[in-house]
């Protein structure tokens, strides 16, 4: 297809998805031509509608052939097609005005508009997200979500080499800074010309709202501090997440813990994650009610969940923040040697929490997940972390998303699931293949439980991966799911009521 036809398809897409208006056609055509170093344009009589992935792919092929893209790799193609989509994406001021106008209708109308824009502008590459493997696994705690992430592109070797040669600048300071809005990117940093953020005020502070480009669940959003400041869980953190769910009552919002191992991947920039999705943890019932002294107006209890969760709910954000702050303060200082819980060792703090807020009708609900990042020689990555025998499935930190019941597993598992199926049906030894040798001991634990067929083998593997993830969550729980663990949990609750 000639480049003029591709340009027209792209402009048609932008008009059809309300990125630009019909009166913008000539101007935007010239802007796209400029980026493609084209001086001539022959208006096609007609073009067939096409998917955005197909249109951008063909334009990037053309740009690579013409030498406009330095290397025909995913990294450089992404840099170029994001630049094109940035031209077509409405300016920040216009996006904010439209968001505000929709919010006047309802909070959901505002986020519906913003989420649609984020997808239509290709900031969220929906065609990549669709490639993620997803399934659910039944457990005693509810249906656990499993996803194998395939949408986040891996850096190609040439881009990695080029990145090493770039000056080590500090702009933007991290991937969450507001300065990413409109940023051109490089071999080392993703382009964000089509990225738009929404200013919000929570707990009296200037924060911003955006969506994750990798959307691990429906409307996966990120609220982040306007300043590049480290993660910190304190009373203001509880106030912020409760303020947020008052502004957007159809969303939840939670924060990763603020310590290594039990925290998220970016501890240097204060941020939280939310969205419009009901995780298994939200659906999990309270298995034991609690009364906190001085907070009898607050409903409280221990949640039936593989990790150690205190749930509190009530009509007053201030009272919930006050109680949550008390729980956090006691937990920060709390040690129980019999449960191997130490608040600090050699001056290094270990105790923190992962908080999640949501609405239940008119009430506010706050889940407080107790975390501890102590390490030992036996468990150098963390005592309350996936143990070594489970690393074939999950070795990475258990962050907010996993805490709530969604496993984000490495992309390698897609190929490994296929290989395991092949070796199981072929009755071959996993140790013969270095890619799946690590799964041998894991497989042998359940191999005799099933009769494997062509039809059921993949589903069995996925089911066992899900069950393993539940064990991962149980490993991350500071109190074990047994009688001794329950007694230890009760001792902590008693300590709270004594202070």
């Amino acid at each position: 297809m000639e480049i003029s036809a591709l340009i027209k398809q792209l402009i048609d897409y932008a008009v059809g998805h309300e990125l630009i208006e019909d009166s913008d056609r000539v101007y935007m055509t010239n802007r796209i031509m400029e980026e493609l170093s084209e001086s001539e344009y022959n208006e096609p009589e007609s073009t067939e509608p096409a998917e955005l992935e197909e249109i951008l792919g063909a334009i990037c092929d053309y740009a690579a052939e013409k030498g406009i893209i330095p290397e025909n790799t995913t990294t450089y193609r992404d840099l170029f097609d994001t630049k094109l989509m940035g031209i077509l994406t409405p300016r920040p001021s216009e996006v904010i005005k439209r968001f505000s106008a929709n919010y006047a209708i309802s909070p959901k109308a505002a986020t519906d508009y913003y989420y649609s824009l984020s997808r239509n502008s290709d900031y969220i590459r929906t065609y990549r997200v669709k490639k993620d493997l997803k399934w659910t696994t039944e457990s005693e705690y509810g249906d656990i979500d499993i996803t194998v992430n395939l949408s986040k592109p891996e850096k190609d070797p040439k881009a990695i080499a080029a990145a090493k040669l770039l000056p080590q600048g500090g702009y933007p300071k991290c991937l969450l800074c507001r300065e990413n809005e409109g940023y051109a990117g490089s071999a080392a940093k993703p382009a964000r010309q089509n990225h738009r953020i929404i200013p919000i005020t929570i707990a009296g502070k200037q924060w911003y709202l955006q969506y994750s480009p990798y959307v691990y669940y429906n409307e996966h959003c990120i609220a982040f501090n306007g300043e590049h400041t480290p993660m910190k869980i304190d009373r203001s953190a509880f106030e912020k997440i409760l303020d947020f769910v008052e502004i957007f009552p159809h969303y939840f919002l939670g924060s990763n813990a603020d310590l290594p191992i039990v925290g998220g991947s970016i501890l240097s920039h204060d941020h939280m994650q939310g969205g419009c999705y009901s995780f298994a943890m939200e659906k999990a019932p309270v298995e034991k009610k609690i009364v906190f002294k001085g907070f009898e107006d607050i409903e409280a209890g221990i949640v039936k969940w593989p990790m150690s969760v205190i749930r509190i709910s009530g009509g007053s954000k201030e009272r919930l923040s006050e109680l949550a702050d008390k729980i956090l303060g006691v937990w920060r200082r709390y040690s129980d040697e019999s449960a191997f819980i130490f608040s600090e060792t050699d001056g290094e703090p270990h105790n923190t929490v992962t908080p999640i807020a949501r609405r239940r009708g008119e009430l506010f609900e706050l889940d407080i997940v107790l975390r501890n990042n102590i390490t030992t020689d036996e468990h150098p990555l963390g005592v309350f972390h996936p143990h070594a025998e489970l690393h074939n499935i999950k070795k990475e930190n258990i962050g907010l998303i996993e805490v709530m019941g969604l496993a984000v597993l490495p992309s390698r598992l897609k190929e490994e699931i296929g290989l395991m199926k092949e070796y199981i049906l072929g009755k071959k030894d996993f140790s013969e293949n270095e890619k799946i040798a690590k799964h041998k001991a894991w497989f042998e634990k359940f191999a005799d439980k099933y009769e494997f067929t062509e039809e059921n083998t993949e589903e069995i593997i996925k089911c066992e991966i899900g069950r393993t993830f539940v064990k991962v969550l149980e490993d991350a729980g500071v109190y074990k799911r047994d009688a001794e663990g329950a007694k230890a949990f009760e001792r902590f609750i008693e300590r709270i009521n004594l202070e």
Side-chain angles (χ1 to χ4, degrees):
M1 185 179 292
E2 291 186 358
I3 191 60
S4 292
L6 291 172
I7 293 172
K8 185 175 188 304
Q9 280 187 326
L10 184 60
I11 299 300
D12 286 346
Y13 170 90
V15 172
H17 289 80
E18 299 183 353
L19 296 176
I20 63 174
E21 297 184 14
D22 195 64
S23 56
D24 296 320
R25 280 182 178 274
V26 172
Y27 174 81
M28 289 301 182
T29 296
N30 286 328
R31 290 298 314 280
I32 299 299
M33 287 174 59
E34 178 184 352
E35 296 302 328
L36 290 166
S37 300
E38 289 293 317
S39 58
E40 297 293 331
Y41 177 76
N42 300 307
E43 177 79 21
E45 291 185 7
S46 63
T47 56
E48 291 293 325
E51 296 294 327
L52 183 60
E53 179 183 20
E54 180 184 340
I55 299 168
L56 291 176
I59 291 176
C60 283
D61 289 342
Y62 177 86
E65 290 174 9
K66 295 293 184 179
I68 298 168
I69 297 176
E71 297 286 349
N72 193 19
T73 64
T74 299
T75 297
Y76 289 104
R77 290 170 73 94
D78 282 1
L79 289 170
F80 186 71
D81 67 20
T82 301
K83 187 177 186 179
L84 299 184
M85 292 307 298
I87 292 170
L88 301 171
T89 302
R91 298 299 174 260
S93 57
E94 182 182 343
V95 173
I96 293 168
K97 287 177 183 176
R98 292 188 65 180
F99 183 90
S100 298
N102 278 284
Y103 190 88
I105 300 170
S106 73
K108 187 176 185 303
T111 56
D112 283 350
Y113 156 71
Y114 184 41
Y115 190 55
S116 178
L117 172 72
S118 299
R119 289 178 295 172
N120 292 338
S121 67
D122 209 36
Y123 169 70
I124 297 173
R125 296 176 183 260
T126 54
Y127 44 86
R128 286 184 183 169
V129 174
K130 288 177 182 177
K131 296 176 183 178
D132 290 350
L133 295 182
K134 295 183 179 182
W135 69 91
T136 59
T137 295
E138 293 181 0
S139 79
E140 64 177 296
Y141 309 105
D143 291 341
I144 304 298
D145 293 303
I146 311 293
T147 181
V148 175
N149 175 37
L150 304 172
S151 57
K152 190 173 183 178
E154 296 182 5
K155 286 284 186 182
D156 54 79
K158 289 184 178 180
I160 293 171
K164 289 181 179 178
L165 300 176
L166 293 174
Q168 297 303 304
Y171 182 89
K173 291 180 179 177
C174 77
L175 293 176
L176 289 174
C177 286
R178 61 174 298 199
E179 289 80 12
N180 283 282
E181 186 178 41
Y183 183 64
S186 67
K189 296 180 180 180
R192 289 289 185 259
Q193 290 103 321
N194 56 352
H195 179 39
R196 301 292 179 264
I197 61 178
I198 302 295
I200 57 175
T201 301
I202 50 178
K205 302 294 183 182
Q206 181 65 70
W207 277 50
Y208 292 87
L209 175 68
Q210 67 172 64
Y211 287 105
S212 165
Y214 310 114
V215 285
Y216 293 134
Y217 51 85
N218 187 48
E219 298 181 47
H220 178 182
C221 69
I222 299 171
F224 62 97
N225 198 319
E227 301 295 327
H228 182 76
T229 186
M231 296 280 293
K232 185 178 182 181
I233 302 297
D234 55 13
R235 178 164 179 161
S236 70
F238 303 128
E239 292 170 346
K240 291 183 182 85
I241 60 177
L242 289 167
D243 269 6
F244 183 92
V245 297
E246 183 173 45
I247 298 169
F248 303 106
H250 57 302
Y251 276 12
F252 76 88
L253 191 72
S255 175
N256 270 304
D258 54 356
L259 294 178
I261 297 176
V262 295
S265 58
I266 302 179
L267 292 176
S268 61
H269 195 129
D270 198 8
H271 70 286
M272 299 166 181
Q273 298 180 74
C276 188
Y277 190 75
S278 294
F279 290 89
M281 182 173 154
E282 176 185 340
K283 301 171 187 175
V286 167
E287 61 181 355
K288 182 175 181 179
K289 290 193 174 182
I290 303 169
V291 176
F292 287 108
K293 185 178 177 180
F295 294 91
E296 288 80 7
D297 55 318
I298 302 296
E299 290 284 331
I302 295 173
V303 180
K304 184 181 180 182
W305 193 245
M307 298 181 71
S308 308
V309 186
I310 298 171
R311 177 171 293 165
I312 59 177
S313 64
S316 168
K317 295 183 298 175
E318 291 73 21
R319 291 287 285 164
L320 287 177
S321 295
E322 185 181 355
L323 176 54
D325 188 46
K326 180 176 182 180
I327 293 169
L328 172 64
V330 175
W331 179 244
R332 292 277 197 198
R333 304 185 300 272
Y334 186 75
S335 294
D336 183 347
E337 186 174 353
S338 65
F340 207 78
I341 294 171
F342 298 92
S343 63
E344 61 87 21
T345 54
D346 300 325
E348 179 187 351
H350 297 305
N351 289 350
T352 185
V353 301
T354 299
I356 304 107
R358 64 184 73 89
R359 298 293 292 275
R360 296 270 192 189
E362 294 299 312
L363 298 179
F364 295 90
E365 184 172 272
L366 193 59
D367 283 348
I368 302 168
V369 188
L370 305 179
R371 312 299 302 275
N372 180 288
N373 74 346
I374 194 169
T375 61
T376 63
D377 290 341
E378 183 183 1
H379 300 295
L381 297 181
V383 172
F384 305 106
H385 180 84
H387 291 171
E389 67 271 16
L390 306 179
H391 286 179
N392 62 307
I393 302 299
K394 178 72 174 177
K395 184 179 181 180
E396 299 79 12
N397 292 356
I398 302 303
L400 170 68
I401 295 173
E402 287 88 0
V403 164
M404 294 185 293
L406 191 160
V408 180
L409 302 179
S411 59
R412 61 174 171 80
L413 279 173
K414 181 183 181 182
E415 180 183 8
E416 291 169 8
I417 288 170
L419 287 171
M420 283 191 279
K421 177 181 178 180
E422 175 189 332
Y423 273 62
I424 290 169
L425 294 176
K427 300 187 184 303
K428 295 189 287 185
D429 191 329
F430 282 15
S431 62
E432 295 175 5
N433 188 314
E434 63 179 10
K435 291 184 177 180
I436 59 172
K438 57 181 169 291
H439 295 298
K440 180 177 180 179
W442 173 77
F443 168 67
E444 289 173 346
K445 290 179 181 178
F446 62 83
D448 295 336
K449 290 168 51 180
Y450 301 100
E451 291 291 334
F452 294 98
T453 67
E454 176 68 34
E455 292 72 26
N456 71 11
T457 299
E458 182 171 326
E459 290 306 309
I460 290 171
I461 294 170
K462 288 181 176 179
C463 177
E464 291 296 333
I465 288 173
R467 290 175 177 172
T468 299
F469 177 67
V470 173
K471 293 177 182 176
V472 164
L473 292 181
E474 290 174 340
D475 280 352
V478 295
Y479 294 116
K480 301 310 171 189
R481 297 285 305 174
D482 56 22
E484 187 176 336
K487 288 180 181 178
F489 205 160
E490 288 175 11
R491 289 196 296 271
F492 172 61
I493 301 299
E494 290 170 2
R495 176 64 66 83
I496 296 170
N497 280 325
L498 288 173
E499 295 198 9

